[in-house]
Amino acid sequence: MARRHDPGRRQRIIDAAVRVVGAKGIAGLSHRSVAAEADVPLGSTTYHFATLDDLMVAALRQANEGFANLLAARGALTDPDTDLAAELAGLLGEWLGGDRTGVELEYELYLAALRRPALRPVAAAWADDLAARLAARTDPATARALVAVLDGVCLQVLLTDAPYDEAYARDVLTRVAGGRR
């Protein structure tokens, strides 16, 4: 049987992995479950991703792109006249608003780095990239602190099912930023 050229297969596998983790958590992720979700032969998943860690790295990178795209679309970090804390609080509200499946997926993969060292560089890269973007508006130490606050607020909302309180987030972010705009 001739091998069929399928240039979109790798991306379909990543998309399927994202859906599997979203529906079943990381515990439900396997080459077999992803192959079934992507409707591809099992060998395709292992061809493109030799290990589950490789597949999780690709899924986490894709999830991180969603937040980066949202950040870029808002333009909060490029305009020095905007209130940085208000923009970040609004960004977090937009990220947590509506369907939280993508946010939950990103944080589940992000926290999986605790037990899966292969994911740590991707998780660190996300935090480093965000801190570098924030450092354009503040100093590097404050930028790292703002990233920590964003992570903490997001985790509290996700873990407690509490509604996102944008005014609270803006107040805390303002305090950490030292009242800077």
Side-chain angles (χ1 to χ4, degrees):
M1 175 179 233
R3 191 172 194 176
R4 189 178 71 155
H5 179 66
D6 185 357
R9 185 172 287 193
R10 183 178 192 284
Q11 185 58 52
R12 283 200 326 276
I13 292 168
I14 295 169
D15 293 341
V18 167
R19 289 191 303 273
V20 167
V21 173
K24 302 175 183 177
I26 288 180
L29 186 71
S30 68
H31 279 102
R32 190 171 305 284
S33 65
V34 171
E37 179 68 26
D39 194 26
V40 299
L42 178 59
S44 289
T45 62
T46 57
Y47 172 79
H48 289 287
F49 304 98
T51 68
L52 282 179
D53 281 352
D54 294 340
L55 186 54
M56 281 192 259
V57 163
L60 182 55
R61 279 194 179 117
Q62 182 165 302
N64 287 348
E65 287 173 11
F67 186 82
N69 291 341
L70 184 61
L71 183 64
R74 286 184 67 97
L77 303 181
T78 57
D79 183 358
D81 293 327
T82 63
D83 180 333
L84 181 60
E87 280 296 311
L88 290 173
L91 172 72
L92 199 56
E94 191 173 335
W95 185 239
L96 289 167
D99 182 17
R100 291 187 181 171
T101 305
V103 182
E104 290 170 0
L105 162 77
E106 183 172 349
Y107 269 87
E108 186 162 0
L109 288 167
Y110 187 62
L111 292 173
L114 291 170
R115 302 274 185 233
R116 295 181 175 271
L119 294 175
R120 289 182 188 158
V122 180
W126 177 85
D128 291 344
D129 178 61
L130 182 54
R133 291 175 190 226
L134 291 171
R137 294 283 312 274
T138 186
D139 63 275
T142 301
R144 300 285 301 167
L146 290 168
V147 172
V149 169
L150 291 169
D151 265 343
V153 169
C154 193
L155 279 171
Q156 286 176 355
V157 169
L158 291 173
L159 295 175
T160 64
D161 267 341
Y164 175 65
D165 184 345
E166 189 169 327
Y168 165 77
R170 185 176 53 252
D171 180 53
V172 172
L173 290 162
T174 299
R175 290 169 190 238
V176 170
R180 292 186 202 160
R181 290 189 80 202

